């Protein structure tokens, strides 16, 4: 108890000493691989992607450390505020998007095109962690307890789906669902939810855009439309498969450099890596991710407060969903839904959100022994 | 505190389940990677290669066609065209403006270029103009700095330096038609030309060569990044024809203005030295593609310029057929050289009267006199004694009534009637009167000028079954090929000599029908036989056999003029057949042509013999001598 008391008033220096540099090193490794692949994607040029990727990462590391240094109770206190602010941005995008043409997913801030949907992934984790932190273990079984978190999940998911951004909506739903699971919601309720989803599926199908339906249909048989909707996934599989065990060598990927591979700087960057570095390169990259995930679990288990546990596990889940959906997508296991590979794909907001998330994880570690009251301290909400 | 411990336990359990789930899903990813990159790697490697590597065919240069002395008759000429690559220009329209100050660009070309540029990808070259002169090429090259994006492309086009003179022998090349594709990918190349007639067609595969291949790396848009490998194809081989350039040109000149044909061949080797058909056409126009009106003019002309009359024209041989009847008579023993027939100007069979061309009659005729004066009554009698089947049998041996097998497409067989043939094709019995008509080469009998030349050659070479050919069997060496050994006809040499003697007197005898065309240069004398076939009868015969040529009909009453001949008489070397359609009499229209051509052939020969010693071949001949 004494140490917990001590950590209530940690000095900045003490906090700095607590930062897990290994985790930062692993993250830097991933971002470095990303920069190298972006350099290759631009045909051996730092312009236009690699240089910005590096710059953004440097800024993101600063933000991450700042978040990590910030008291965990601050984040608890402002969890809902951050969530609501992000939701407002999302709604703003929706309004602007309906004014403009087609799918608009970002707010142009000049230096960065802010995608509120990416930020929402972390904001949702924050809000859910805050909510379940305040729920007693014996109350978790009540159905009424689930109303608020389900609303927290459904509101942004609905907005994102209207944009329409199937990938992010899927991530919000899955991420939120897994947070509920981690928080202890009974398994049979998930079964019930799944059954409900089954019933809702035909209705959802009706509300999907044509291109989204096509994506799902061609996912089932991409070879039926080799020049159209199936082209991306076929070319991606060819690139991966032709990479073999050791790859074609850095900058030597024929599929990617001859432009057979689409979107190689964003969603399909894993394919490019696997083409140039083969199975070995892919396994190494996934291995680093696994280490980061393991770190996340360790930090979650180390936290003395439930908020910290849920926060760390939530960031962990988010990272894993990014990774799994992206890699499974480029390998033709699931439909092409447009989810970037975390810290590797070119894209500012996704990187910023994730690094913000890891800042929170780090903050959990730094403040693992800080006692956090059930209700937020002097709740500013 | 207890509650929190419970919550922590629950969380730990759930977190571990999540971790387990993540491990499981990560294994799925790794498994999928293993499947794609190890198990399926060979398949995907192939697919990736197919993606990036594109095979381009390199068309081989077409072989030349040379005359018997190695002079080119058909060549592949380098052509130049200006092409424009849109992405390298500062503006297609501006570039065309600049270029039009250097070379002429018609408004139609300009419009087409702009249209194609807008339709195609920006790196695809678009042809501005074909067939640039060398002058235009240099003007563009000199101004190249002001014309970014404009380049000169080289291509090949077929060129026939002597144009119409060789059109029927050489044929022409043109774009491949759908039904002509054979699976050879060369034929599917845009702009590829193949032989459509003549030697160009017969020896197309030899002349064509085999295509080379260039492997290039392309990107997803089809842009060529670099060449990976290149295998040069084999250029088409040259074909050495047996044609003599000078003789062919002279013959073509001599036929100008007429509708007819001439065949000149070597009586021992069978080599055709000249083969001309008139009127002709310019084969160069086919290469660039004919305009509609040009095509209509060629196909609508009643003188049939596209038809090679020397091998496809079928005419009643008329009196030129009498040698065959005479030989048949001698061989079958129905006549002797001394047998006599009295000509009163006509003869009768049943209630039909058959007229001799000489109204008053020839009087008493033996075989020699009958041939020299071309007495019809004499040959009515020989034919009556022989019967049509015996005539047909001998004619076949002499090369009539069936394809002689020259290496040109479009040869026709002519017709040698027999009893069996008439029963089969018309369902009617043979009448003896028809035998008499056949005896003077009229009625159903049809032959091509080539067949008549072959027949003549078989007489004057001493009775060997020489067959004609236009090339040295793909032998591309310049050495004159050894005369092939042809089998003997199986007739008496004495009989053959008797007929040759008669042919000599047709031209050189005091009463010969062709004595107006006598060659007076000593040692170059010509022998031969005139023929005149009646168009009316042809018309009936053709109608009956169903091989009538419509375009002949408007020429109504005039006769075809024929002449077969050889020279020199003391040691026959050349045989000739001349047919002038509706030219009148054989002696007046055909024989003079034969005289001029045979004289030219022999003079050209002696010129070359005179020129030959200048070529140094000293030791070889000596070494070869002992054999």
């Amino acid at each position: 108890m004494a140490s917990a008391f001590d950590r209530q008033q940690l000095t900045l220096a003490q906090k700095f000493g607590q930062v897990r540099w290994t985790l930062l090193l692993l993250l830097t490794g991933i971002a470095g691989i990303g920069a190298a692949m972006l350099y290759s994607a631009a045909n051996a040029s730092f312009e236009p992607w690699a240089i910005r990727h590096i710059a953004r990462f440097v800024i993101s590391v600063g933000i991450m450390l700042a978040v990590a240094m910030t008291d965990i109770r601050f984040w608890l206190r402002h969890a809902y505020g951050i969530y609501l602010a992000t939701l407002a941005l999302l709604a703003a995008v929706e309004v602007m998007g309906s004014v403009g043409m087609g799918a608009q997913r970002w707010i142009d801030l000049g230096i960065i095109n802010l995608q509120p949907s990416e930020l929402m992934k972390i904001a949702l984790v924050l809000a859910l962690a805050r909510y379940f932190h305040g729920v007693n273990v014996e109350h978790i079984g009540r159905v009424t307890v689930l109303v608020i978190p389900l609303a927290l999940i459904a509101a942004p998911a609905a907005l994102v789906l209207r944009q329409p951004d199937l990938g992010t909506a899927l991530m919000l739903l899955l991420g939120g669902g897994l947070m509920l699971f981690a928080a202890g919601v009974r398994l049979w309720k998930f079964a019930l939810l799944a059954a409900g989803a089954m019933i809702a599926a035909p209705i959802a199908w009706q509300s999907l855009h044509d291109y989204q339906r096509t994506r799902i249909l061609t996912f089932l048989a991409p070879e039926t439309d080799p020049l159209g909707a199936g082209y991306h996934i076929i070319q991606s599989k060819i690139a991966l498969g032709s990479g073999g065990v050791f790859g074609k060598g850095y900058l030597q990927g024929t599929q990617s450099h001859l432009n057979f591979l689409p979107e190689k700087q964003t969603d399909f960057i894993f394919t490019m890596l696997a083409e140039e570095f083969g199975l070995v390169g892919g396994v190494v990259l996934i291995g680093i991710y696994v280490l980061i995930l393991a770190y996340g679990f360790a930090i979650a288990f180390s936290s003395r407060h439930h908020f910290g546990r849920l926060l760390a596990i939530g960031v962990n889940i988010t990272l894993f969903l990014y990774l799994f959906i992206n890699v499974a997508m480029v390998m033709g296991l699931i439909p092409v839904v447009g989810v970037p590979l975390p810290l590797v794909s070119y894209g500012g907001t996704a990187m910023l959100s994730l690094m913000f998330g890891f800042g929170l994880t780090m903050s959990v570690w730094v403040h693992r022994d800080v006692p956090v009251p059930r209700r937020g301290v002097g709740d500013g909400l | 505190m207890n509650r929190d411990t419970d919550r922590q336990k629950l969380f730990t359990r759930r977190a571990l389940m999540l971790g387990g789930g993540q491990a499981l899903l990560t294994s799925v990813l790794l498994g999928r990677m293993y499947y794609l990159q190890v198990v399926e790697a060979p398949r995907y490697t192939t697919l990736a290669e197919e993606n990036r590597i594109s095979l381009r065919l390199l068309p081989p240069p077409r072989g030349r066609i040379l005359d018997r002395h190695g002079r080119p008759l058909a060549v592949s000429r380098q052509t130049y065209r200006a092409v424009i690559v849109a992405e390298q220009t500062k503006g297609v329209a501006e570039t065309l403006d600049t270029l039009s100050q250097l070379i002429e660009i018609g408004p139609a070309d300009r419009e087409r270029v702009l249209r194609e540029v807008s339709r195609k990808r920006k790196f695809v070259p678009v042809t501005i103009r074909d067939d640039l002169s060398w002058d235009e090429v240099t003007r563009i090259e000199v101004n190249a700095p002001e014309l970014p994006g404009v380049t000169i492309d080289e291509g090949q086009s077929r060129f026939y330096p002597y144009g119409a003179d060789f059109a029927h022998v050489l044929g022409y090349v043109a774009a491949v038609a759908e039904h002509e594709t054979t699976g050879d990918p060369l034929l599917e190349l845009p702009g590829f030309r193949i032989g459509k007639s003549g030697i160009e067609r017969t020896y197309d595969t030899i002349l064509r060569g085999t295509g080379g291949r260039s492997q290039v790396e392309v990107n997803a848009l089809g842009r060529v990044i670099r060449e990976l490998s290149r295998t040069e194809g084999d250029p088409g081989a040259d074909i050495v024809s047996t044609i003599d350039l000078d003789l062919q040109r002279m013959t073509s000149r001599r036929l100008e203005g007429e509708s007819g044909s001439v065949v000149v061949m070597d009586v021992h080797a069978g080599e055709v030295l000249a083969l001309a058909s008139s009127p002709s056409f310019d084969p160069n126009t086919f290469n660039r593609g004919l305009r509609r009106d040009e095509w209509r003019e060629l196909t609508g002309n009643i003188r049939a310029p596209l038809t090679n009359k020397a091998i496809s024209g079928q005419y009643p041989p008329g009196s030129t057929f009498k040698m065959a009847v005479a030989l048949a008579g001698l061989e079958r023993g129905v006549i002797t050289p001394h047998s006599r027939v009295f000509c009163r100007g006509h003869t009768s069979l049943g209630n039909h009267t058959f007229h001799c061309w000489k109204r008053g009659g020839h009087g008493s005729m033996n075989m020699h006199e009958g041939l020299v004066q071309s007495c019809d009554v004499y040959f009515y009698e020989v034919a009556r004694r022989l019967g049509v089947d015996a005539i047909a049998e001998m004619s076949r041996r002499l090369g009539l009534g069936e394809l002689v097998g020259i290496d040109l497409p479009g040869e026709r067989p002519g017709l040698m009637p027999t009893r069996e043939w008439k029963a089969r094709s018309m369902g009617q019995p043979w009448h003896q009167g028809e035998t008499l008509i056949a005896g003077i080469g009229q009625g159903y009998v049809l032959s091509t000028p080539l067949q008549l030349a072959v027949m003549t050659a078989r007489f004057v070479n001493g009775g060997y079954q020489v067959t004609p050919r236009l090339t040295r069997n793909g032998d591309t060496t310049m050495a004159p090929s050894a005369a092939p050994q042809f089998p003997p006809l199986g007739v008496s040499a004495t009989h053959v000599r008797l007929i040759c003697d008669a042919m000599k007197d047709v031209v050189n005898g005091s009463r010969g029908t062709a004595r107006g065309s006598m060659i007076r240069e000593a040692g170059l004398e010509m022998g031969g036989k005139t023929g005149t076939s009646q168009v009316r009868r042809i018309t009936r015969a053709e109608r009956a056999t169903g091989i009538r040529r419509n375009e002949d009909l408007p020429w109504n009453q005039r006769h075809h003029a024929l002449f077969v001949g050889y020279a020199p008489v003391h040691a026959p070397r050349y045989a000739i057949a001349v047919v002038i359609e509706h030219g009148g009499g054989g002696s007046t229209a055909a024989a003079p042509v034969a005289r001029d051509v045979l004289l030219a052939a022999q003079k050209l020969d002696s010129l070359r013999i005179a020129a030959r010693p200048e070529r140094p071949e000293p030791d070889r001949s000596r070494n070869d001598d002992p054999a």
Side-chain angles (χ1 to χ4, degrees), chain B residues 257-273:
Chain B
E258 302 283 2
S259 175
S261 54
V262 172
V263 178
V264 182
M265 63 184 276
D266 183 303
V267 300
H268 300 292
E271 294 184 344
V272 175
L273 288 99

Side-chain angles (χ1 to χ4, degrees), chain B residues 63-75 158 160 162 165-171 198-203 206-207 237-249 264-266 269-275 406-408 468-481 573 608:
Chain B
R64 296 175 304 166
I65 302 174
L66 308 171
D67 97 324
R68 62 190 294 112
H69 302 295
R71 293 171 292 187
L73 305 177
V75 293
R158 199 63 161 166
Y160 304 98
Y162 305 102
D165 290 353
F166 288 82
H168 295 110
V169 181
L170 302 179
I199 292 175
E200 293 275 28
R201 175 153 157 199
T202 308
Y203 295 100
I206 295 172
L207 289 164
D238 290 347
I239 292 287
V240 178
S241 77
T242 59
I243 295 288
D244 185 308
L245 168 62
D246 301 312
L247 189 64
Q248 174 78 15
R249 297 196 75 192
V264 182
M265 63 184 276
D266 183 303
E271 294 184 344
V272 175
L273 288 99
L275 189 147
I406 193 169
D407 38 0
L408 279 183
R469 61 208 170 95
L470 260 173
T471 61
R472 299 180 156 174
N473 290 343
D475 170 16
T476 53
T477 61
M478 292 308 305
S481 57
R573 165 98 198 267
R608 282 204 192 88

Side-chain angles (χ1 to χ4, degrees), chain B residues 49-56 214-218 228:
Chain B
E49 293 296 282
E50 281 172 9
N51 257 347
R52 96 186 157 99
I53 293 170
S54 165
L55 265 181
R56 312 256 153 137
S214 160
Q215 273 198 328
V216 291
E217 186 173 74
V218 295
L228 300 172

Side-chain angles (χ1 to χ4, degrees), chain B residues 345-356 380 436-437 537:
Chain B
H346 58 85
T347 185
S348 14
L349 185 76
N351 41 19
H352 282 280
T353 304
F354 297 86
H355 293 277
C356 184
Y380 290 143
L436 270 57
I437 297 294
R537 293 229 178 121

Side-chain angles (χ1 to χ4, degrees), chain B residues 545-624:
Chain B
T545 51
I547 45 177
R548 178 187 57 167
R549 298 229 318 275
N550 280 327
E551 59 265 35
D552 287 343
L553 279 179
W555 263 305
N556 40 21
Q557 299 297 327
R558 287 198 289 167
H559 303 321
H560 290 317
L562 296 92
F563 186 82
V564 299
Y566 68 97
V569 288
H570 63 274
R573 165 98 198 267
Y574 303 108
I576 190 170
V578 178
V579 176
I580 307 293
E581 289 181 345
H582 310 287
S587 54
T588 53
V593 174
R595 174 198 60 206
D596 294 348
V597 172
L598 282 181
L599 192 57
Q602 296 179 87
K603 284 189 167 168
L604 284 167
D605 227 22
S606 55
L607 274 177
R608 282 204 192 88
I609 289 163
R612 198 162 292 159
E614 288 170 24
R615 262 191 283 166
E617 307 178 279
D619 291 334
R620 263 187 65 90
S621 55
R622 205 177 303 151
N623 287 347
D624 289 348

Side-chain angles (χ1 to χ4, degrees), chain A residues 261-282:
Chain A
L261 189 64
E263 302 290 331
K264 58 182 180 290
Q265 79 280 15
T266 55
D267 291 356
F268 285 88
I269 199 161
F270 182 81
T271 307
M272 187 179 178
L273 174 115
E275 188 190 13
E276 298 197 341
F277 295 102
L279 181 68
V280 173

Side-chain angles (χ1 to χ4, degrees), chain A residues 132-133 135 138 181 184-185 235 237-238 240-241 244 254-255 258-260 274 279 282 297 306 309 320 331, chain B residues 3 7-8 10-11 14-15 17 19 22 25-26 29 32-33 36-37 41 44 48 51-52 218-220 225:
Chain A
F132 284 106
H133 176 72
V135 175
E138 52 267 31
F181 176 80
V185 174
Q235 294 300 339
K237 279 158 81 176
I238 291 173
L240 273 159
T254 59
Q255 284 283 105
L258 297 172
N259 287 328
F260 290 102
L279 181 68
F297 278 110
H306 206 53
R309 288 177 207 132
F320 182 77
M331 295 198 298
Chain B
R3 276 188 203 149
R7 194 157 75 163
Q8 193 179 355
L10 180 60
F11 172 81
R14 289 291 170 94
M17 284 165 78
Q22 288 184 3
L25 289 176
T26 306
L29 293 184
R32 177 71 171 172
M33 275 177 75
L36 289 177
Q37 300 197 281
Y44 285 118
N51 257 347
R52 96 186 157 99
V218 295
N219 71 5
I225 306 296

